[in-house]
């Protein structure tokens, strides 16, 4: 089944969300009057694009929204969805299901959707036309509207049957083609008018341009040479710029390394620079040692005095032999000669100190001391002297360490100084090369600037061709200058006239091509229009023949005899005719043609459809409707109490016809008739409770029969 499900929410009396499944060929909807069962048909009609509020039994869009009751509040919107199966791609879209929906809000705004996406009503109409659901909604026969086709005008009947035959989509295409043809004709007139206006002006410009042809040829030669020169010069400049850029990139990398190395050398020099601190430390150590030597001299003097005092008894015993005195003096001379030879200040100081001690001892021996010395004092002095010697030794070791460190630092500082000078020279040379490259780069910029000034119209050309050697560049420059001089002597080219002629000629050629395209388009559209018109006419006449045949069969079956047929009325132009009786001239208005219905009921003479009774009109409409639906079955057919005027016998015939028709299309029947209910496969009961809300009960007769059998 194509029509799978109907979803209603907030529409008229259906306040709650209701879904009606249509799995069977015939689905019947029953219920007491006023329960809201006809609202089901209205909801389907509304979703399919019905715009007349009269046909929807309302006055404005707000009337379609549930208005509320004492127990149930009113709704803010109404929404209905029709769910169609599309596994065979009847709709031409890539979805297994197609959901066509419509919403209305209390402010009157309508919204159409296809599978949840907002669309236009036109899109809905075009989509439904592909499956035979036309804009005339011939497939929905509302309550009391069964004989609508009988009272319709011939033109309206033709439109309804055209829709039923699935020709609506071709009618739309035909109208669209006709509209495009008219639009194309207008465009052709506009283009032809422009061509007529352009022709004399183009002729004048052509004469003016011819006069400037020789000068123009000269200018073209200048242009060609200028273009070649600019393109080749640009390529030459670009190549030189690329080479400079590459060279500068490598040089920048070297400079960066040189600068980093220079920073390292500067940092190393600052680290090695500590001479003043070393000399200051030397001065402190020398001062400390001088103080120790002074103390030691005094202690040595005192010790010598005490030792002499301990070992001497009289002045005669204290006298020094001449040999000993000579030995001491020679020893002093040797010390002084050593001091004279020594280049170290420290060695001289040591020798002087030693000589001084020896002189003190000699003086002590010469003078002698009669004072008795205590042994304890001598030991204390010796201990103090040893302590001073140890302190002096430590000072000398510290001084030696500082001297070694100073020599090491001084050596490294000298090396770093040499390295610093070398790195400074490297960086200076690199910067010199960089300055030279910058100069070359500036020279290239000046050459490019010269091109911009001398050849502003060609500067945006792409660099191409062979590079220019200096001699070749000078030669081309001279040729260009000579051509410029010749062009000035010839009076120049009237650029305005030549350019206007070229533009006008291009515009004329464009209009010619445009006119040719428009004519081809017009011919193509006209052929399409003719093809569509032929197809519509052929399919329509073929459909009429089939409908006519089935209409007679159904009519004969319903009425137990009689004849019925539909007749195609050809359109007529307005004309004047003479009445043969009166001889007066009468004017017959033009008619668009349409469909006429002719019936003949058994045992009753009928001259027009107006002579049919209500039941007869209903039966005739049903016969024609079933015939139309049998020729080109729509996806579904909604019949809203079309059987209300039938008696029991005709109701049985009606039920049999429903069974036969259900083989070709899906039927949704709203009825009170028991015979019609018996024909249905599923029965929906619509009830309305005290809350004023319509609700559904459903029965599937196949399941009910199986349940009864069990």
């Amino acid at each position: 089944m194509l029509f799978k499900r109907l979803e209603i929410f907030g529409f008229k009396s259906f306040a709650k969300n209701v879904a009606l499944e249509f799995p069977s060929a015939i689905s019947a909807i029953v219920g007491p009057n006023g329960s809201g069962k006809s609202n089901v048909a209205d909801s389907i009609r509304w979703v399919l694009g019905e715009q007349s509020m009269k046909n929807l039994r309302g006055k404005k869009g707000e009337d379609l929204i549930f208005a509320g009751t004492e127990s149930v509040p009113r709704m803010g919107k109404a929404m209905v969805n029709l769910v169609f199966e599309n596994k065979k791609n009847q709709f031409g879209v890539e979805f297994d299901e197609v959901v066509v929906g419509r919403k209305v809000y209390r402010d009157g705004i309508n919204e159409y959707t296809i599978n949840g996406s907002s669309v236009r009503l036109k899109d809905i109409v075009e989509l439904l036309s592909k499956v035979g659901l036309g804009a005339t909604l011939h497939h929905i026969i509302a309550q009391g509207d069964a004989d609508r086709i009988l009272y319709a005008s011939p033109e309206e009947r033709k439109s309804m049957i055209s829709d039923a035959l699935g020709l609506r989509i071709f009618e739309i295409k035909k109208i669209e083609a006709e509209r495009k043809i008219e639009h194309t004709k207008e465009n052709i007139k506009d283009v032809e008018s422009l061509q007529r206006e352009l022709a004399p002006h183009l002729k004048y410009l052509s004469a003016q341009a011819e006069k400037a042809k020789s000068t123009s040829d000269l200018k073209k030669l200048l242009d060609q040479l200028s273009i070649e020169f600019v393109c080749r010069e640009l390529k030459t400049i670009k190549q030189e710029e690329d080479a400079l850029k590459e060279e500068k990139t490598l040089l920048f990398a070297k400079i960066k390394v040189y600068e980093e190395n220079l920073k390292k050398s500067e940092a190393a020099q600052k680290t090695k620079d500590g001479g003043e601190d070393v000399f200051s430390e030397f001065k402190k150590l020398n001062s400390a040692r001088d103080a120790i030597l002074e103390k030691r001299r005094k202690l040595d003097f005192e010790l010598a005095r005490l030792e002499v005092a301990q070992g001497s008894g009289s002045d005669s015993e204290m006298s020094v032999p001449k040999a000993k005195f000579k030995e001491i003096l020679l020893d002093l001379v040797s010390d002084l000669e050593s001091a004279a030879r020594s280049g170290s200040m420290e060695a001289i100081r040591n020798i002087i100190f030693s000589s001084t001690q020896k002189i003190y001892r000699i003086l002590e021996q010469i003078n002698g001391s009669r004072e008795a010395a205590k042994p304890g004092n001598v030991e204390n002095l010796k201990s103090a002297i040893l302590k001073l010697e140890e302190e002096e030794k430590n000072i000398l070791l510290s001084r030696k360490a500082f001297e070694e460190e100073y020599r090491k630092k001084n050596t490294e500082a000298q090396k770093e100084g040499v390295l610093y000078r070398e790195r400074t020279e490297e960086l200076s040379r690199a910067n010199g090369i960089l300055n030279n490259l910058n100069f070359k780069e500036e020279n290239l910029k000046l050459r490019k600037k010269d091109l911009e000034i001398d050849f502003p119209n060609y500067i945006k050309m792409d660099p191409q061709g062979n590079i220019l050697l200096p001699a070749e560049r000078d030669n081309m420059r001279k040729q260009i200058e000579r051509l410029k001089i010749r062009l000035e002597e010839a009076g120049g080219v009237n650029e305005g006239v030549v350019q206007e002629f070229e533009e006008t000629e291009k515009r004329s050629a464009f209009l010619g091509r445009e006119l040719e395209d428009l004519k081809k388009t017009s011919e193509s559209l006209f052929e399409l229009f003719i093809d569509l018109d032929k197809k519509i006419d052929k399919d329509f006449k073929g459909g009429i023949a089939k409908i006519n045949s089935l209409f007679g069969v159904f009519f004969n079956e319903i009425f137990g005899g009689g004849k019925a047929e539909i007749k195609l009325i050809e359109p007529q132009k307005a004309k004047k005719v003479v009445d043969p009786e009166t001889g007066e001239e009468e004017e017959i208005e033009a008619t668009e043609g349409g469909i006429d219905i002719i019936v003949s009921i058994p045992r009753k003479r009928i001259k027009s459809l107006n002579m049919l009774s209500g039941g007869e009109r209903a039966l005739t409409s049903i016969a024609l409707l079933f015939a139309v639906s049998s020729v080109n079955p729509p996806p579904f057919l909604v019949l809203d109490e079309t059987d209300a005027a039938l008696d029991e016998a005709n109701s049985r015939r009606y039920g049999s016809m429903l069974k036969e028709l259900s083989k070709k299309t899906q039927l949704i029947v709203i009825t009170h008739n028991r015979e019609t209910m018996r024909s249905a496969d599923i029965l929906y009961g619509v009830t309305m409770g005290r809350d004023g809300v319509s609700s559904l009960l459903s029965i599937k007769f196949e399941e009910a029969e199986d349940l009864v059998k069990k």
Side-chain angles (χ1 to χ4, degrees):
M1 296 299 173
L2 186 62
F3 186 19
K4 291 179 62 176
R5 187 169 63 257
L6 171 65
E7 299 171 349
I8 308 174
F9 175 74
F11 184 83
K12 289 193 173 182
S13 59
F14 289 95
K16 299 177 182 178
N17 196 7
V18 172
L20 289 82
E21 301 283 347
F22 301 114
S24 304
I26 304 177
S27 302
I29 300 172
V30 301
N33 292 332
S35 62
K37 60 183 181 298
S38 291
N39 290 340
V40 175
D42 288 344
S43 69
I44 297 173
R45 180 188 295 273
W46 180 64
V47 174
L48 296 179
E50 179 62 70
Q51 301 298 306
S52 172
M53 292 303 301
K54 180 180 178 182
N55 291 338
L56 295 171
R57 299 180 298 160
K59 294 183 179 180
K60 53 184 178 179
E62 189 176 2
D63 295 338
L64 303 179
I65 306 173
F66 180 72
T69 63
E70 293 182 359
S71 57
V72 181
R74 72 174 188 169
M75 310 297 290
K77 67 177 179 179
M79 178 175 66
V80 179
N81 290 327
L82 301 186
V83 183
F84 296 95
E85 184 180 289
N86 188 43
K87 291 182 179 179
K88 296 181 181 179
N89 199 25
Q90 297 98 318
F91 287 93
V93 293
E94 298 297 326
F95 294 99
D96 290 339
E97 280 189 352
V98 174
V99 182
V100 179
R102 186 175 179 181
K103 299 176 185 177
V104 63
Y105 299 89
R106 289 206 170 272
D107 57 4
I109 295 177
N110 275 261
E111 181 180 338
Y112 296 91
T113 60
I114 296 178
N115 284 28
S117 299
S118 296
V119 295
R120 303 167 299 173
L121 174 58
K122 179 183 177 182
D123 300 322
I124 297 284
V125 172
E126 289 182 357
L127 180 71
L128 297 177
S129 296
K130 296 177 181 179
V131 292
L133 298 176
T136 58
L137 301 180
H138 62 278
H139 49 281
I140 302 176
I141 309 301
Q143 181 179 358
D145 200 24
D147 53 358
R148 178 180 57 170
I149 193 169
L150 300 183
Y151 286 108
S153 67
E155 293 84 0
E156 291 173 341
R157 290 193 196 114
K158 183 178 180 181
S159 179
M160 293 169 66
I161 292 177
S162 178
D163 265 357
L165 291 173
L167 301 177
R168 180 64 179 174
I169 187 67
F170 300 107
E171 290 282 359
I172 293 172
K173 290 181 179 179
K174 178 182 172 183
I175 293 170
E176 184 68 16
E178 188 174 20
R179 185 187 64 80
K180 288 182 178 179
I181 288 172
E182 292 300 322
H183 184 66
T184 304
K185 286 181 179 179
E186 292 296 327
N187 287 339
I188 289 174
K189 289 181 181 179
D190 292 340
V191 172
E192 289 176 340
S193 176
L194 287 173
Q195 279 189 323
R196 287 193 296 271
E197 292 178 4
L198 207 60
H201 187 56
L202 182 62
K203 184 177 180 181
Y204 167 77
L205 291 175
S206 176
Q208 294 296 317
E210 188 65 27
K211 293 178 181 178
K213 187 177 184 305
S214 58
T215 309
S216 179
D217 292 341
L218 190 62
K219 185 179 183 302
K220 286 180 181 178
L221 181 60
L222 176 61
D223 289 342
Q224 291 174 358
L225 189 60
S226 298
I227 290 171
E228 181 186 358
F229 174 75
V230 171
C231 291
R232 293 179 64 185
E233 177 69 350
L234 286 174
K235 184 174 181 180
T236 305
I237 291 173
K238 186 178 186 306
Q239 185 171 323
E240 293 180 10
E241 284 178 341
D242 293 342
L244 280 176
K245 184 178 180 181
E246 184 178 355
E247 192 174 353
K248 285 181 72 175
T249 301
L250 296 175
L251 187 60
F252 279 133
K254 289 182 179 180
I255 288 175
K256 185 176 181 181
V257 173
Y258 293 159
E259 288 176 343
E260 290 176 354
N261 291 338
L262 190 60
K263 288 180 181 178
K264 290 178 182 178
S265 294
E266 290 175 350
Q269 281 193 328
K270 289 180 180 179
T271 303
K272 301 296 183 292
D273 187 15
E276 293 182 0
D277 295 338
V278 172
F279 288 126
S280 176
E281 192 64 29
F282 281 170
K283 188 175 181 180
K284 290 180 182 177
L285 291 174
N286 288 334
S287 298
R289 189 185 174 206
D290 289 344
I292 291 172
L293 290 175
E294 180 65 24
K295 289 180 181 179
R296 182 178 172 183
R297 185 184 65 76
K298 292 180 180 179
L299 291 177
D300 283 343
F301 179 79
E302 183 65 21
L303 178 61
R305 189 182 62 78
L306 291 177
E307 287 177 346
V308 171
Q310 285 181 346
S312 59
S314 62
D315 292 338
S316 61
E317 293 175 354
M318 291 298 296
S319 61
V320 180
K322 290 182 179 180
K324 182 68 174 174
F325 189 74
K326 182 178 179 181
E327 180 183 350
I328 292 171
L329 290 177
L330 290 174
D331 191 18
L332 289 173
V333 170
S334 177
D335 289 343
L336 292 173
E337 289 176 350
S338 296
R341 289 193 301 270
S342 177
S344 172
M345 200 66 189
E346 184 63 26
I348 293 172
R349 288 180 178 176
N350 291 335
I351 293 171
I352 292 173
F353 176 77
S354 176
S355 300
T356 304
Q357 297 302 317
K358 290 176 182 179
I359 292 171
Y360 281 140
R361 290 191 184 97
I362 293 171
L363 291 173
E364 289 294 335
Q365 290 180 13
I366 292 174
N367 296 327
S369 176
R370 300 182 181 278
E371 183 181 353
K374 297 179 180 180
N377 292 336
V378 173
E379 293 301 324
N380 289 336
L381 287 174
K382 288 181 178 181
S383 177
I385 289 171
L386 289 174
K387 186 176 180 181
L388 289 174
E389 288 177 350
E390 186 67 25
E391 289 180 5
E392 182 184 9
K393 182 180 179 181
N394 290 335
I395 289 173
L396 291 174
L397 289 174
S398 297
R399 179 185 173 91
K400 186 176 181 181
F402 273 111
E403 286 177 347
E404 184 65 27
E405 182 180 359
Y406 176 73
R407 282 194 298 273
K408 183 179 179 181
K409 285 184 177 181
N410 189 43
T411 302
E412 291 178 357
Q414 289 176 353
K415 291 180 180 179
E416 288 295 337
V418 173
L419 187 60
Y420 176 79
R421 286 192 297 274
E422 291 177 353
R423 288 174 174 175
T424 302
E425 291 174 359
E426 283 179 343
L427 182 59
S428 178
R429 285 194 298 271
N431 284 326
I433 295 172
L434 179 61
N435 290 334
N436 187 35
L437 294 179
N438 287 334
F439 176 77
K440 291 181 179 179
E441 192 173 45
E442 288 298 322
N443 188 33
L444 290 177
K445 289 181 180 179
L446 289 174
R447 282 167 58 185
K448 200 168 185 178
K449 190 68 176 176
D450 289 341
L451 287 179
E452 293 176 358
I453 295 172
D454 296 339
F455 305 95
N457 297 329
Y458 313 111
I459 193 63
K460 293 184 179 179
M461 301 290 292
D462 294 329
Q464 56 185 342
N466 299 324
I467 63 172
L468 286 172
L469 299 175
E472 192 176 9
R473 180 185 299 110
D474 294 339
N475 185 36
M476 289 191 74
R477 271 284 194 179
K478 290 177 181 178
Q479 291 182 39
I480 291 171
E481 291 301 323
R482 284 196 293 267
L483 285 174
K484 286 183 178 180
I485 293 171
R486 288 177 59 190
L487 191 62
E488 289 178 1
E489 290 174 350
V493 178
N494 191 340
E495 294 288 348
V497 171
V498 175
Q499 185 176 355
E500 187 178 0
F501 169 70
E502 292 174 352
E503 291 177 355
T504 306
E505 191 175 36
K506 288 179 182 178
R507 179 166 175 76
S508 178
F510 171 77
L511 289 174
R513 293 192 300 270
E514 189 76 8
L515 184 60
E516 187 67 24
D517 291 342
L518 287 171
K519 287 180 178 179
K520 289 180 180 179
T521 302
S522 179
E523 292 174 1
S524 176
L525 288 171
F526 187 73
E527 289 175 2
L528 175 63
F529 179 83
I530 295 299
D531 291 342
L532 289 171
D533 190 59
K534 288 179 179 179
K535 178 175 177 57
I536 292 169
D537 185 65
K538 179 182 176 181
D539 292 352
F540 185 74
K541 288 180 178 178
I544 289 293
K546 293 177 182 179
I547 292 171
N548 216 358
S549 176
L550 290 172
F551 183 30
V553 172
F554 283 127
F555 187 86
N556 187 279
E557 183 179 343
I558 290 176
F559 286 96
K563 296 181 180 180
E565 65 174 333
I566 57 175
K567 183 178 180 181
L568 183 61
I569 303 173
E570 296 295 337
Q572 291 184 354
K573 296 181 179 180
K575 62 180 180 178
K576 294 180 180 180
V577 297
V578 178
D579 190 336
E581 295 181 359
T582 62
E584 295 180 358
E585 189 177 67
E586 295 180 356
E587 185 174 349
I588 299 177
E589 295 181 355
T591 60
E592 295 183 1
I595 298 293
D596 194 11
I597 301 174
I598 302 171
V599 298
S600 175
I601 297 177
R603 299 175 299 279
K604 190 174 182 180
R605 297 190 60 165
I606 301 295
K607 291 185 178 181
S608 69
L609 295 176
N610 292 329
M611 296 178 65
L612 295 175
S613 65
E616 290 169 341
R617 285 198 304 272
L619 290 173
T620 302
S621 298
I622 290 170
L624 180 56
L625 176 65
F626 283 13
V628 172
S629 299
S630 297
V631 171
N632 187 43
F636 63 90
L637 190 62
V638 179
L639 303 173
D640 186 1
E641 297 190 32
T642 55
D643 55 359
L646 302 182
D647 56 21
E648 186 174 350
N650 285 327
S651 294
R652 284 194 293 273
R653 293 194 188 102
Y654 180 77
S656 299
M657 292 171 66
L658 287 179
K659 285 286 188 182
E660 188 65 26
L661 186 60
S662 68
K663 296 177 183 178
K664 299 181 179 181
T665 187
Q666 193 174 356
L667 299 178
I668 301 168
V669 183
I670 300 172
T671 183
H672 286 297
N673 194 304
R674 293 183 180 181
E675 293 297 331
T676 304
M677 294 181 195
R678 288 192 183 97
S679 304
D681 303 308
I682 183 172
L683 193 67
Y684 281 104
V686 181
T687 63
M688 182 176 289
R690 294 181 179 180
D691 57 0
V693 176
S694 296
S695 57
L696 290 178
L697 299 173
S698 63
I699 299 174
K700 292 183 179 178
F701 288 118
E702 292 179 358
E703 296 177 0
E705 289 176 0
D706 293 340
L707 184 61
V708 170
K709 289 177 182 179
K710 292 179 181 178

